[in-house]
Amino acid sequence: MLSGIYGLLSASLFVVLDAVDVAFTEAAVGAGISTILMLTTLAITGRYELSRPSIRTRIGLLLVLVIGVLLIYGTLGMPYFGMPENPANGHVAAYYLENTEQQIGIPNYVTAVLASYRGFDTFGELVVVFTAGVAVLALLPHSRDGFVVDDMQPMKHHLILRITSKLLLPFILLFALYVQFHGDFGPGGGFQAGVIFAAAIILYSMLYGLENAMQVISFPVIRFCAALGVLLYGSVGIVSMLKGGNFLDYSVLLETPVAGQHLGILLIEFGVGLTVAAVMVCVFFTFTGSVVSPAKSARVVAARDGEKTQGAP
Amino acid sequence: MNFETQWLQTFFGLYNYWIVVALMMCGLFIVITDGNLIKKVVGLTIFQTSVFILYISMAKVTGATAPIQIEQGTAVYSNPLPHVLILTAIVVSISTTAVALALIVRIKRAYHTVEEDVIQRWDVKKRRSEKRSKPFHE
Amino acid sequence: MSSAQLPILQVIVPLLAAPLCLLINHKLLNWLFTLLVSGFSFVVAALMLWQVSDTGPLSYHLGGWMPPYGIEIRVDQLNAFVALLITAISTLVITSAHTSLENKKDIAPGKHTYFYVAYLLCFAGLLGILVTGDAFNLFVFLEISSLSSYVLIALGRDRRALWASFQYLVMGTIGATFILIGIGLLYMKTGTLNIADLAERLPEMADTRTIFVAFCFFIVGVCLKLALFPLHMWLPNAYAYAPTVVTAFLAASSTKVALYVVVRFVFVVFGVDFSFTTIPLQAVFVTLGTLGVLVASLVAINQQNIKRMLAYSSIAQIGYMVLGLSFGSITGLMASLLHLFNHALMKGALFLTLGAVFYRIGGVSLKHFQGIGRHMPFTLAAFVIGGVSIIGMPLTVGFVSKWYLLQAAIAQGWYLVSVIILVGSLLSVIYIWKVVDAAYFKPALVNQAQLKEAPLSLLIPVWVLVLANLYFGMDTRLTVTLTDQVATQLMHIEVLP
């Protein structure tokens, strides 16, 4: 709960500091996904904790204080906050502000830098997300065999919740699409859209149970989508190489550079959205799939073992 | 300029960064000292968020607007580059968190605890018993 | 595609191979595919090194944007050299992976696909760190390689692998965040992220406090990844409980890449002048290097698990490399780079040997090694040669780098340091001898009549590495000329205005 508030607070701080895109992402991630993950993990691990010997605390305190003093010392040489003539705002950043309109032709500077000038970073970022998906799949059970799905519908009795959410779902999906394709003009883009899309599916599975949600989107589909998003992004780069440009040079994709940039950005943002949504859903499924009451899991395991011994001869 | 106004200027010029440092220290302190693995991850998240604020702070230009082009007239925009970097960093951070929590779930299953001290005690015990026992059971 | 596209192929081929591998999802095909990709990367790296030696640094502009506005891939002799080393080791490791992973004690059945995907990601991440010419891009690739190596370690069967992976994750993330702070502060003062551009703009403002702090954070962050003593806590457990193939790969590559980053930033971005006069880096590196050599070697002697023993030995070897950097002289830098190369060869060989032993016996503690010398002659002979190389006997690669290290220490007039280098070698004699003694002179614990030599698919990569150990130990022309050129270049950069 507190972590959700923390996420929301830092998102608001980012809005105050003019970083709307970052705020959007932080709201989706900090207040949304990471809170859900934390709560699920807490549900699995329990919440008791031990007290620790104070010697460690003292060492930790000392270490942190040393680092803090070092940082404060470093701030004394920093340019003051908010000054337009700061070196960070000149040089490269000034180039982006001056040339985006003419070279890329979209009003959102953040998207322009993200998807084109520093497109390779974003590709790397997408691969990081993909890696996280692979990590979760490798670590937590998810095949039919080890996966214990709750057959109960968790929200059966909350009629109002069910109906309002059912009404909300299409709008959430629509909003995700809007964010996906409107990233060139306003805040938003593939990552945020992917998270929102995943949120819709998560809401669905909360209402109708994991079993039903997984019938709509199963693990092979998730894996396929996650891989496909990365491949889509990469193949845009490869195509631009085949057309005689460098990797991720969208200008060569169509006749005019600006049109090529538009197409390239659209495609890679779609790739980002696809992988992010797939990985987020996958993370949620595996985590909630791991939450089972001990009695129930024992029963399921017993049943499975019974099946095996029957099938063995 | 006398000493006091200079000091005040420094304060108003840098207070943002000092808040960042305070937040950073909180996060790092939790990571280092807390024995509960989940709290460690929370500390890690706080530590990372503080770095995000550091970047976003340096991008702010007083009186400027968000870096999305406005149709009419010229405006002063905040610096878009750190925003892009932090977008990437946020994604990296959530990915790390997800992997960390998945590991915690597995650790809970393997050790039946998520306390660092207990786990370490187990491991030391295991290593000692390995030293004594024979490798082959036949 | 023309050869101008080589630098990007080095990174994106393994990077895009990873999702393809997830789609293929077949044990044998995945292995063949990974082997193919790894071999291809090796060829690319070799071509690049050849081209760079011929025509000077290659610069590739991603997205067609001029640096510093876009991201640049920049390859010079230094990173082409390390890339060649890593792709070669990776190809050999992957050759043995298929057989090695058959062993159910090494990796859980059904996790093979994830192993190959994570392996390719880790491989691509490391190559990305090597070739990129952009500081923030370096951070992104660092995270790709780190996240995937957490997975690789956690695939180990022992439950302690999970804990080791978590410890590594926490330390690694703190390190990465420190690096991020360092990059942020650099950007704040210079307004650029491009490494070459940074190197150009930093001298103007080298005296400010912010740059000082940026340097501290960046180097501490990388040293966490490098496992420099005393920031090495994550390494022994991670190496001991990861699957053996993973240990062989990580030991031979990931710390090497971290050392490359240290070299790149200390000598190129900040410059020798700043690193060694404004900052007491020399004192810090000498102290930590020597302490690392002594403490880690002593701890290694006391280990029962040979994987753990070699892990501590790795920490000691990292001490040698950092010691070489600390001299701030061409010979020192050369010694450090040579040791980077040589250590990858010897640790690769040793850990792969352990993999072969593990495949047959199912454990790698000293007790498992008792009396197996007669049953697995080729495997154990490989271990002995690798061990001799660690000790630094003449005719092996270990000798070459230690020789240059001693020369550098004596040229500097640091006799105490040269004594410590020798003491470190003596300590390594002890722990290597413990293994040899167990394998050849102790009676077998149980009847091992059915014990056979390891299969060929495991022996071939081991022996390729062992022969490389001997070859580069005798014929030093190639490595010494190359590292000499690189070191001269690096030290020369500071002389330029």
Side-chain angles (χ1 to χ4, degrees):
Chain A
M1 197 59 213
L2 266 179
S3 118
I5 294 173
Y6 178 75
L8 207 60
L9 265 182
S10 41
S12 342
L13 181 64
F14 291 145
V15 174
V16 176
L17 291 173
D18 289 342
V20 279
D21 274 277
V22 179
F24 199 165
T25 316
E26 176 67 19
V29 166
I33 297 290
S34 92
T35 311
I36 292 181
L37 286 185
M38 289 276 176
L39 288 177
T40 332
T41 318
L42 268 180
I44 297 169
T45 57
R47 45 192 302 178
Y48 71 97
E49 92 180 288
L50 295 171
S51 63
R52 315 211 64 203
S54 61
I55 173 79
R56 253 189 105 117
T57 318
R58 268 183 230 145
I59 295 173
L61 199 62
L62 194 72
L63 205 65
V64 168
L65 278 178
V66 169
I67 292 169
V69 168
L70 188 66
L71 268 172
I72 297 277
Y73 174 77
T75 58
L76 294 179
M78 281 180 188
Y80 290 157
F81 171 71
M83 302 289 165
E85 66 272 17
N86 285 350
N89 301 332
H91 197 38
V92 179
Y95 175 89
Y96 294 145
L97 289 177
E98 257 168 46
N99 294 306
T100 295
E101 192 179 2
Q102 173 212 339
Q103 289 176 342
I104 298 179
I106 60 172
N108 188 347
Y109 293 114
V110 174
T111 308
V113 178
L114 178 99
S116 190
Y117 291 112
R118 296 190 68 86
F120 196 50
D121 261 356
T122 310
F123 185 46
E125 162 198 328
L126 188 63
V127 176
V128 171
V129 175
F130 176 73
T131 314
V134 171
V136 171
L137 282 172
L139 289 172
L140 297 177
H142 59 275
S143 59
R144 279 261 161 255
D145 202 31
F147 203 70
V148 189
V149 179
D150 219 331
D151 49 2
M152 216 169 56
Q153 289 189 3
M155 301 258 178
K156 220 164 197 167
H157 311 296
H158 300 278
L159 195 63
I160 298 176
L161 250 183
R162 279 179 68 125
I163 292 176
T164 33
S165 308
K166 211 173 191 173
L167 283 175
L168 267 177
L169 274 176
F171 289 105
I172 298 181
L173 291 178
L174 208 63
F175 183 58
L177 288 178
Y178 170 76
V179 172
Q180 171 82 54
F181 295 111
H182 199 253
D184 300 1
F185 306 101
F191 184 79
Q192 293 93 330
V195 173
I196 296 172
F197 191 81
I201 294 169
I202 290 172
L203 183 64
Y204 179 84
S205 59
M206 277 176 168
L207 291 172
Y208 299 97
L210 218 50
E211 181 86 305
N212 289 325
M214 280 176 55
Q215 268 168 5
V216 183
I217 298 167
S218 65
F219 274 105
V221 174
I222 291 176
R223 286 203 329 191
F224 181 74
C225 287
L228 194 69
V230 178
L231 287 176
L232 180 64
Y233 200 135
S235 52
V236 172
I238 302 277
V239 168
S240 54
M241 272 163 82
L242 293 176
K243 287 208 160 192
N246 277 356
F247 188 67
L248 294 179
D249 187 351
Y250 314 131
S251 304
V252 295
L253 290 178
L254 290 177
E255 290 81 41
T256 61
V258 172
Q261 290 287 346
H262 275 284
L263 178 70
I265 291 175
L266 200 72
L267 284 173
I268 61 132
E269 289 274 16
F270 183 65
V272 172
L274 199 62
T275 297
V276 168
V279 169
M280 293 300 157
V281 171
C282 152
V283 168
F284 176 77
F285 279 5
T286 44
F287 270 81
T288 40
S290 301
V291 192
V292 251
S293 60
K296 186 176 160 65
S297 72
R299 205 171 64 226
V300 173
V301 168
R304 204 195 306 143
D305 288 350
E307 272 170 32
K308 268 187 193 153
T309 42
Q310 276 169 12
Chain B
M1 202 193 296
N2 63 17
F3 176 74
E4 260 171 54
T5 45
Q6 203 179 357
W7 199 91
L8 270 178
Q9 206 183 8
T10 315
F11 176 78
F12 281 109
L14 297 174
Y15 75 98
N16 231 39
Y17 300 124
W18 292 347
I19 293 170
V20 168
V21 174
L23 205 56
M24 216 176 259
M25 286 162 69
C26 290
L28 204 56
F29 181 71
I30 300 173
V31 181
I32 296 173
T33 58
D34 210 294
N36 186 298
L37 300 191
I38 299 183
K39 288 206 177 169
K40 263 187 198 296
V41 177
V42 173
L44 221 48
T45 318
I46 294 176
F47 181 42
Q48 288 173 321
T49 324
S50 71
V51 182
F52 304 161
I53 300 175
L54 171 77
Y55 271 74
I56 300 299
S57 300
M58 72 174 93
K60 170 76 182 169
V61 175
T62 315
T65 158
I68 296 174
Q69 206 176 24
I70 304 169
E71 307 254 324
Q72 65 277 28
T74 48
V76 184
Y77 301 107
S78 280
N79 184 350
L81 180 54
H83 297 182
V84 173
L85 305 183
I86 285 321
L87 275 175
T88 307
I90 288 178
V91 177
V92 168
S93 149
I94 179 70
S95 307
T96 318
T97 310
V99 178
L101 291 175
L103 274 171
I104 290 179
V105 171
R106 283 286 302 276
I107 287 175
K108 168 74 180 176
R109 268 199 218 137
Y111 288 88
H112 305 289
T113 178
V114 285
E115 292 293 328
E116 187 181 0
D117 298 344
V118 183
I119 295 172
Q120 253 156 4
R121 230 178 294 143
W122 272 104
D123 282 354
V124 171
K125 225 196 250 169
K126 179 92 195 274
R127 216 178 300 148
R128 291 222 180 96
S129 70
E130 269 177 2
K131 246 184 191 176
R132 272 180 265 116
S133 71
K134 287 194 171 184
F136 302 102
H137 294 297
E138 299 100 306
Chain C
M1 267 172 268
S2 67
S3 65
Q5 304 281 1
L6 276 181
I8 189 67
L9 289 180
Q10 183 82 90
V11 190
I12 55 161
V13 169
L15 210 54
L16 287 175
L20 278 176
C21 217
L22 188 67
L23 294 182
I24 294 173
N25 200 8
H26 180 278
K27 220 193 258 180
L28 187 68
L29 286 180
N30 271 345
W31 172 66
L32 283 173
F33 184 61
T34 312
L35 188 62
L36 193 73
V37 168
S38 193
F40 178 78
S41 306
F42 175 69
V43 174
V44 170
L47 284 175
M48 264 190 345
L49 183 61
W50 180 62
Q51 203 170 351
V52 165
S53 306
D54 222 25
T55 57
L58 299 173
S59 167
Y60 185 88
H61 305 162
L62 278 153
W65 302 115
M66 282 296 290
Y69 310 115
I71 294 174
E72 180 193 16
I73 287 185
R74 198 175 176 77
V75 186
D76 54 15
Q77 273 186 316
L78 174 62
N79 49 16
F81 170 62
V82 185
L84 185 70
L85 173 72
I86 283 170
T87 46
I89 297 277
S90 157
T91 312
L92 290 171
V93 166
I94 280 298
T95 313
S96 74
H98 186 63
T99 322
S100 189
L101 293 179
E102 291 284 288
N103 194 336
K104 291 220 173 54
K105 278 187 182 163
D106 219 9
I107 187 173
K111 302 260 180 191
H112 288 83
T113 304
Y114 300 122
F115 166 81
Y116 288 114
V117 175
Y119 181 91
L120 279 171
L121 288 169
C122 188
F123 183 53
L126 292 174
L127 288 175
I129 299 174
L130 285 179
V131 298
T132 185
D134 189 281
F136 192 81
N137 201 238
L138 185 138
F139 165 78
V140 173
F141 278 110
L142 184 81
E143 281 294 339
I144 295 178
S145 70
S146 312
L147 272 182
S148 45
S149 52
Y150 308 146
V151 185
L152 288 173
I153 292 166
L155 284 176
R157 279 323 284 274
D158 197 306
R159 68 172 182 181
R160 280 170 288 182
L162 295 172
W163 175 235
S165 170
F166 186 80
Q167 272 181 315
Y168 184 21
L169 187 143
V170 170
M171 302 274 284
T173 310
I174 293 177
T177 313
F178 270 37
I179 292 175
L180 195 60
I181 296 173
I183 295 172
L185 296 181
L186 286 180
Y187 173 71
M188 189 187 257
K189 290 298 276 187
T190 60
T192 183
L193 291 163
N194 185 283
I195 288 178
D197 202 24
L198 270 176
E200 218 166 87
R201 290 172 157 250
L202 269 179
E204 279 172 41
M205 48 198 70
D207 294 330
T208 56
R209 293 162 177 169
T210 311
I211 298 298
F212 171 76
V213 174
F215 182 84
C216 296
F217 270 85
F218 193 90
I219 295 297
V220 170
V222 182
C223 286
L224 262 166
K225 285 279 169 194
L226 176 62
L228 175 64
F229 178 86
L231 303 171
H232 65 273
M233 280 88 83
W234 57 267
L235 188 136
N237 280 333
Y239 281 12
Y241 303 119
T244 328
V245 200
V246 174
T247 312
F249 178 64
L250 289 183
S253 65
S254 94
T255 48
K256 308 295 166 287
V257 171
L259 190 81
Y260 157 79
V261 177
V262 173
V263 172
R264 175 68 73 192
F265 271 78
V266 166
F267 288 91
V268 179
V269 175
F270 291 100
V272 187
D273 219 18
F274 176 78
S275 308
F276 286 90
T277 51
T278 316
I279 298 214
L281 188 73
Q282 191 160 42
V284 174
F285 271 8
V286 169
T287 324
L288 296 183
T290 45
L291 274 177
V293 169
L294 290 179
V295 175
S297 303
L298 283 171
V299 178
I301 291 175
N302 209 17
Q303 296 301 317
Q304 294 294 313
N305 183 327
I306 297 176
K307 255 180 165 178
R308 252 179 109 82
M309 175 193 284
L310 292 181
Y312 276 107
S313 152
S314 281
I315 297 167
Q317 309 299 324
I318 290 161
Y320 286 122
M321 293 176 217
V322 170
L323 208 55
L325 295 186
S326 73
F327 296 129
S329 65
I330 294 187
T331 327
L333 190 54
M334 243 178 92
S336 195
L337 292 174
L338 274 174
H339 204 57
L340 181 152
F341 179 78
N342 299 345
H343 180 239
L345 292 186
M346 29 201 199
K347 273 291 148 61
L350 284 177
F351 277 117
L352 283 180
T353 318
L354 287 190
V357 173
F358 189 88
Y359 182 78
R360 280 289 181 235
I361 303 184
V364 285
S365 75
L366 271 179
K367 280 172 187 148
H368 286 105
F369 264 68
Q370 288 198 5
I372 60 170
R374 257 155 289 151
H375 302 283
M376 303 174 76
F378 286 107
T379 317
L380 264 291
F383 190 93
V384 171
I385 297 175
V388 165
S389 194
I390 291 256
I391 295 167
M393 301 266 240
L395 296 185
T396 57
V397 279
F399 173 73
V400 182
S401 38
K402 286 212 178 134
W403 176 248
Y404 278 97
L405 204 57
L406 273 176
Q407 270 190 342
I410 291 168
Q412 211 88 347
W414 296 354
Y415 297 105
L416 187 63
V417 173
S418 36
V419 171
I420 287 174
I421 296 172
L422 291 175
V423 171
S425 286
L426 288 180
L427 290 174
S428 60
V429 173
I430 302 179
Y431 59 74
I432 296 293
W433 176 252
K434 277 176 73 178
V435 182
V436 175
D437 178 52
Y440 287 104
F441 303 111
K442 288 260 174 74
L445 276 185
V446 287
N447 181 20
Q448 289 172 334
Q450 75 280 26
L451 197 61
K452 280 185 303 193
E453 185 54 76
L456 262 187
S457 52
L458 294 183
L459 275 182
I460 289 172
V462 167
W463 273 94
V464 170
L465 278 172
V466 166
L467 291 178
N469 262 303
L470 294 174
Y471 176 77
F472 288 112
M474 289 181 245
D475 180 12
T476 56
R477 275 171 304 179
L478 186 67
T479 46
V480 169
T481 328
L482 198 63
T483 48
D484 191 23
Q485 277 173 4
V486 171
T488 321
Q489 265 172 22
L490 285 176
M491 297 296 291
H492 197 63
I493 282 169
E494 157 242 13
V495 182
L496 287 171

